[in-house]
Amino acid sequence: MTTVLEKVRSGREAAGERWRGAPRWVRWALLAAVIVFFYALPNKEFYQYLGPIPTPGANFTQVMFTVSIYVLLAVGLNIVVGFAGLLDLGYFGFFAVGAYTVAVLTSPSSDIKTLWPWLLAVPVAIALTMVSGVMLGTPTLRLRGDYLALVTLGFAEMIRIGAVSSEFLKGQRGFNQIPHPPGQYADGKPVFGVLDARPYYWLVLTLIILVVIGVRNLTHSRVGRAWISIREDEDAAQLMGVPTFKFKLWAFAAGAAIAGLAGALFAGKQNFVNSQNFELLNSIIILAAVIFGGSGNIVGAIVGGGLVAYMIERFRGIEVFGFELYEFRFLFFGLVLVIMMIFRPEGLIPNRRRAAEFKDRRKEVTVGE
C-alpha cells in the first residue's frame, strides 16, 4: 500500500514539474479552456453530455451557484488559515454580517426602511464586514492556536444567537423581498430573476476570477511574504522585524471582506435571509474544504471548496435500499476527510512548501521505522 501511495505522489510531483516547466502560452491556453468549461457548465445543452456529473435530485444550476459561493468562501478563508496560519473556526460569521447588512439596507421588512438598491448595499456590506474583522482581530490576534480558534468560534455563535434573538434582525422570520442584482434583457425581463440561477452563477464565477487575481498578487507582494513568515514561525518573523500583529490583522480583514462579498451575493440571490442560514456547521465545512483542497494554495482552496459543496449536494435524490443517501451526506463527507488525513494530510493540491514539509516528515518516519 505504501509503495502504491509513493508512486501516486511521485506521479503528481512529476505532473506538477511538467506544468511549471510548460511554456507560458500552453498554461494560459489550458487556463482559458478551464474557465470556458465552467462558464458553459450550467447550460443544459452542455451538462447533459457530462454523464453522472449533473445532480439528479436537485436543480444543477442552483447547485453550481452554491458551489461557487463555497469556492469564494474557501478562497477567503485560505488567506487566514493557509497563508497567515491563523486557525479560524468562525469564518461563516463574516458571511452572515455581509448577508444581514444587505438585508437590513434593502429589504422592505427592515425597521430602518432605507430600501437601498442591491448594488449600493454591496460595498457597504464589504466595508462593514472588514470593520467587523478588524474589531474581532484587534483584541484577539495576540492569541494563538486553540485559543484563537475558540475566540473565532465564539464570534460566529454570537452572530447566530444575536440573529435568532434580536428583533431588529427578525430572528427566524427573517428579511424578505431583498432585491436582486440589477440588469435587464432587451425585452425588459430582468437578468437576475427567481427561476434561473445561471446569471447568479456567472456573476459569482466572474467575481471569483477577480478575487483570485487580487489574492494572487497580494500573496506575491510584501504582504504575502509577511503572511508566510508568520505562518512558518511567528516568533522568528517578529525577531526579523516583521510587524506580525499588523499583518495578521490585514489577513483577517481581507478574508472577512471576501466573506462579506459572498454573503451579499447570497442575499441577492435568495431574496430572503434568516438566522437558520448561518449555522456553525457551515464554518466547519468551509475550514474542512480548505484543508481538503490544500491549505496555502489558491488552486487547492478552489478545488476543495468546489468538491466539498458538490459532494454534499450530490447525494440528494439518491435512494439505496429505501434509504435517502442525502440524510447520510455528512457521514460520507466525514469518511472522505478521515481517509484524506490518513493518506494525504497535505491536501489534494498543496503548495510546494507544505508538500515538502510532509515529504520530509514521511522520510523521518520511514527512517525511524
Side-chain angles (χ1 to χ4, degrees):
M1 185 67 176
T2 304
T3 305
V4 173
L5 290 174
E6 289 298 330
K7 288 181 178 179
V8 171
R9 292 190 186 104
S10 299
R12 287 173 177 167
E13 291 172 3
E17 290 298 328
R18 285 196 297 270
W19 169 255
R20 287 186 288 271
R24 178 172 293 184
W25 69 269
V26 172
R27 287 183 287 173
W28 278 109
L30 288 174
L31 182 60
V34 170
I35 292 173
V36 169
F37 171 83
F38 281 105
Y39 270 105
L41 189 56
N43 294 304
K44 187 175 181 180
E45 297 81 6
F46 181 73
Y47 70 71
Q48 65 181 347
Y49 299 107
L50 297 180
I53 291 180
T55 49
N59 186 305
F60 185 61
T61 55
Q62 176 61 47
V63 170
M64 291 310 300
F65 170 77
T66 303
V67 168
S68 65
I69 290 291
Y70 271 76
V71 168
L72 187 57
L73 287 168
V75 171
L77 184 58
N78 190 49
I79 295 175
V80 181
V81 175
F83 293 127
L86 306 172
L87 185 55
D88 187 350
L89 293 180
Y91 188 68
F92 217 73
F94 298 121
F95 178 82
V97 171
Y100 269 113
T101 301
V102 169
V104 168
L105 293 175
T106 63
S107 173
S109 57
S110 171
D111 291 341
I112 61 175
K113 304 295 183 183
T114 52
L115 302 180
W116 286 15
W118 178 86
L119 194 60
L120 187 61
V122 170
V124 178
I126 295 172
L128 190 59
T129 312
M130 286 186 70
V131 170
S132 68
V134 172
M135 290 176 62
L136 174 65
T138 300
T140 62
L141 282 178
R142 301 189 190 280
L143 301 173
R144 300 184 189 180
D146 300 339
Y147 302 102
L148 179 61
L150 289 174
V151 170
T152 56
L153 180 64
F155 165 74
E157 280 298 279
M158 285 170 58
I159 297 294
R160 186 187 66 82
I161 293 171
V164 170
S165 58
S166 171
E167 183 61 29
F168 180 72
L169 296 179
K170 306 299 181 184
Q172 293 188 1
R173 288 183 290 122
F175 296 90
N176 56 18
Q177 299 181 45
I178 298 171
H180 299 297
Q184 288 185 339
Y185 292 112
D187 59 0
K189 291 183 179 179
V191 175
F192 298 93
V194 177
L195 300 178
D196 189 3
R198 289 179 300 173
Y200 298 96
Y201 167 77
W202 288 325
L203 174 62
V204 179
L205 182 58
T206 303
L207 290 172
I208 287 172
I209 294 171
L210 295 176
V211 167
V212 166
I213 292 172
V215 171
R216 186 179 182 279
N217 290 337
L218 197 59
T219 55
H220 284 77
S221 68
R222 173 172 169 263
V223 176
R225 291 191 292 272
W227 286 342
I228 293 171
S229 67
I230 293 169
R231 182 191 69 195
E232 296 302 317
D233 193 327
E234 185 174 345
D235 292 329
Q238 201 160 12
L239 288 172
M240 294 298 292
V242 176
T244 56
F245 179 77
K246 181 180 79 171
F247 284 113
K248 288 196 293 183
L249 202 59
W250 283 21
F252 241 57
I258 295 174
L261 172 62
L265 292 164
F266 174 81
K269 162 66 174 68
Q270 295 298 105
N271 197 231
F272 175 77
V273 168
N274 73 350
S275 57
Q276 291 183 328
N277 297 131
F278 310 108
E279 298 292 334
L280 174 63
L281 179 62
N282 294 310
S283 288
I284 308 302
I285 291 174
I286 298 299
L287 179 60
V290 173
I291 297 172
F292 181 78
S295 179
N297 188 328
I298 297 175
V299 177
I302 292 171
V303 172
L307 284 179
V308 165
Y310 176 77
M311 276 194 300
I312 292 173
E313 292 294 329
R314 188 63 182 80
F315 293 108
R316 195 186 295 272
I318 300 177
E319 288 190 8
V320 175
F321 302 115
F323 293 100
E324 179 74 32
L325 290 187
Y326 186 73
E327 298 296 326
F328 303 95
R329 62 194 183 281
F330 292 117
L331 173 63
F332 294 113
F333 176 55
L335 287 174
V336 171
L337 287 180
V338 169
I339 293 170
M340 275 292 299
M341 292 305 101
I342 292 173
F343 296 108
R344 194 169 175 79
E346 66 268 35
L348 289 174
I349 311 175
N351 64 34
R352 280 178 285 177
R353 187 187 297 270
R354 285 183 62 82
E357 289 174 2
F358 279 98
K359 187 175 181 180
D360 291 340
R361 290 178 191 175
R362 284 192 291 266
K363 286 180 179 179
E364 290 175 2
V365 171
T366 304
V367 171
E369 292 175 350

